Amino acid sequence: MAAVATASKQKPQSTWALAWRRFRKHKAAMVSLGVVITLILMAIFAPWIAPHSPTAQPTGENLADYYFQGPSREHWLGTDELGRDVLSRIIYGARISLLVGFVAAFAAALLGTTLGVIAGYFSGRPLRFYVGPFAKVAGGWKPWPFALWRVVSWVLLYGLLFLAADLAWELSGANIQALFSGTLTLNNVLSLLGLALVWGLILFIAGWGLFGQGKIDLDVIISRFMDFMLTIPELPLLLVLSALLRDTQGAVGQWAQNVFGESASVFIIITIIVLFGWIGTGRLIRGAVLSLREQDFTTAAQALGAGDARIMFRHLVPNTLAPLIVNATLAIGGAILTEAALSFLGFGIQPPVATWGNMLTKAQEYIFTAPWLALAPGFMIFLTVLAFNYLGDGLRDALDPRSRL
């Protein structure tokens, strides 16, 4: 009886409180959370933590003595080929890498969630985007007052099409005369065939416009577009897009340079990552919404007269937060890796902005003479991505209601 009384006095815990209790039991995830918090604090307080400026180069005599210095008391991680402090560039590089990771993951999650919930909610429910003025709908014919505006608009369209056909008829008049005079040539035949296609198109549009209906399945369009994007080789296209967008002679490159200045390459990299990063989120949310829209709370919301937008973003999206948070956490690590790879290949964020990826670009040339140039940024990339992956793994177990952690 005492145990029952004690249990009854305990306050019920919310879903997030239970998730936090399960998350704390995941030791690797807790360590990773500490690493991520440390990296964020290091990025925020970089100007006060970094011992030197990340772009400062030595001046004065005997400049060669400052190049490729090994780890010392003054430079804990040594200096690079220009005499810049490696530790300071590592600290400032955390700003760019985390900025790219968080912003790209958030933007990709926002875009993927929007398209995924639209595709899942409207799957199998084609939207009618046009109904002809004489189309039979709802078991009867639409009253003429409601179709009057369609009649007027289509009459104007047909008038323009008939004018175009009349012009084509006049231009091919010589060919029609040749048909009856017996001097028909190949060019005349092709002109007559083109004229016949024009008239056929006019008749088809006229018939469909008056009696047809237009429907569109958003799920088919969005899903097929995602499938198409998945067939594209990502890295080669990323390199091509990066080169095109960074071209200062192009319109986009000039705009980015004028608006963002030296940080234009950061904006371009984030944009490129988002273009391909939303697909996984979109597929995940679409699958979740396909199941959630059949639940009783969705049916109840529809019965109470809630609109489609309210049901999607007020009832369905909040119920997909658990997998969305886990996927976004893993996407941060993927975005950091993508930025590092592009910067390493020279198509990413350009110097003098310090990132872990572009620090590796020159380091490969001095891997045997100055190994600290490659070890420090490489270890930071490895540690950061590993921490976010373990953090995502812990969140997945904590937010899973079937977990026994």
Side-chain angles (χ1 to χ4, degrees):
M1 294 295 293
V4 174
T6 303
S8 62
K9 293 180 181 179
Q10 293 180 351
K11 294 182 179 180
Q13 292 183 320
S14 65
T15 303
W16 297 106
L18 292 173
W20 172 244
R21 189 178 68 180
R22 289 194 293 263
F23 181 81
R24 285 183 301 176
K25 296 180 180 180
H26 199 297
K27 297 181 180 179
M30 289 297 296
V31 174
S32 299
L33 179 62
V35 172
V36 170
I37 293 175
T38 303
L39 290 172
I40 293 175
L41 294 176
M42 182 177 70
I44 294 174
F45 298 103
W48 296 273
I49 297 176
H52 303 278
S53 171
T55 58
Q57 301 182 25
T59 57
E61 299 179 357
N62 301 323
L63 295 179
D65 296 338
Y66 295 95
Y67 301 154
F68 299 111
Q69 286 188 3
S72 62
R73 181 176 299 180
E74 183 179 1
H75 302 284
W76 290 7
L77 295 179
T79 61
D80 61 7
E81 71 279 2
L82 297 178
R84 298 171 296 191
D85 184 64
V86 174
L87 176 60
S88 300
R89 293 181 63 79
I90 287 290
I91 294 175
Y92 274 88
R95 283 186 157 189
I96 303 300
S97 296
L98 293 180
L99 174 66
V100 170
F102 279 106
V103 174
F106 174 78
L110 182 62
L111 179 60
T113 300
T114 303
L115 294 179
V117 70
I118 292 174
Y121 184 75
F122 290 106
S123 178
R125 297 169 52 191
L127 297 178
R128 185 183 294 115
F129 66 91
Y130 175 76
V131 177
F134 302 112
K136 190 176 182 180
V137 293
W141 295 90
K142 289 184 72 69
W144 67 268
F146 297 97
L148 181 60
W149 67 272
R150 290 194 179 96
V151 174
V152 174
S153 61
W154 279 102
V155 165
L156 293 176
L157 177 60
Y158 297 155
L160 293 176
L161 291 176
F162 276 108
L163 287 176
D166 183 67
L167 178 61
W169 184 277
E170 294 293 336
L171 293 177
S172 61
N175 299 329
I176 295 175
Q177 295 176 3
L179 177 63
F180 293 99
S181 63
T183 59
L184 198 63
T185 63
L186 179 60
N187 291 334
N188 296 334
V189 172
L190 294 178
S191 299
L192 289 173
L193 289 177
L195 182 62
L197 289 176
V198 170
W199 278 105
L201 181 61
I202 291 174
L203 294 176
F204 173 77
I205 294 178
W208 180 82
L210 292 174
F211 302 100
Q213 301 183 37
K215 295 182 180 181
I216 184 172
D217 194 331
L218 295 177
D219 179 42
V220 172
I221 294 177
I222 296 175
S223 298
R224 297 297 78 78
F225 180 70
M226 289 191 290
D227 294 340
F228 168 75
M229 293 291 291
L230 289 174
T231 61
I232 300 176
E234 185 174 345
L235 183 58
L237 189 58
L238 286 176
L239 298 178
V240 173
L241 287 175
S242 178
L244 290 176
L245 295 177
R246 288 191 300 107
D247 184 12
T248 56
Q249 302 299 325
V252 178
Q254 290 181 355
W255 176 82
Q257 290 291 337
N258 295 332
V259 175
F260 298 97
E262 292 183 352
S263 301
S265 56
V266 179
F267 164 77
I268 291 171
I269 288 299
I270 291 175
T271 303
I272 291 174
I273 294 176
V274 171
L275 287 177
F276 290 89
W278 66 271
I279 303 174
T281 304
R283 292 167 64 91
L284 177 68
I285 298 301
R286 175 186 175 272
V289 170
L290 282 174
S291 174
L292 290 172
R293 71 171 187 174
E294 305 298 332
Q295 301 295 324
D296 292 339
F297 70 90
T298 305
T299 306
Q302 293 173 346
L304 291 174
D308 292 334
R310 181 179 179 85
I311 294 174
M312 286 189 294
F313 297 102
R314 184 69 181 272
H315 299 285
L316 297 182
V317 171
N319 283 278
T320 63
L321 283 181
L324 182 61
I325 292 174
V326 174
N327 187 75
T329 306
L330 298 175
I332 294 174
I336 293 174
L337 273 181
T338 302
E339 179 275 322
L342 291 176
S343 298
F344 172 74
L345 295 174
F347 290 88
I349 299 173
Q350 302 299 310
V353 180
T355 69
W356 298 335
N358 63 24
M359 289 178 66
L360 291 172
T361 303
K362 289 292 184 180
Q364 59 180 332
E365 301 178 10
Y366 313 105
I367 188 64
F368 296 108
T369 57
W372 58 87
L373 296 181
L375 291 177
F379 175 76
M380 292 304 298
I381 294 173
F382 166 77
L383 179 65
T384 305
V385 175
L386 186 66
F388 277 109
N389 285 342
Y390 272 118
L391 182 61
D393 186 59
L395 288 173
R396 181 190 61 198
D397 293 339
L399 295 174
D400 186 0
R402 296 168 295 183
S403 174
R404 294 186 179 180
L405 284 175

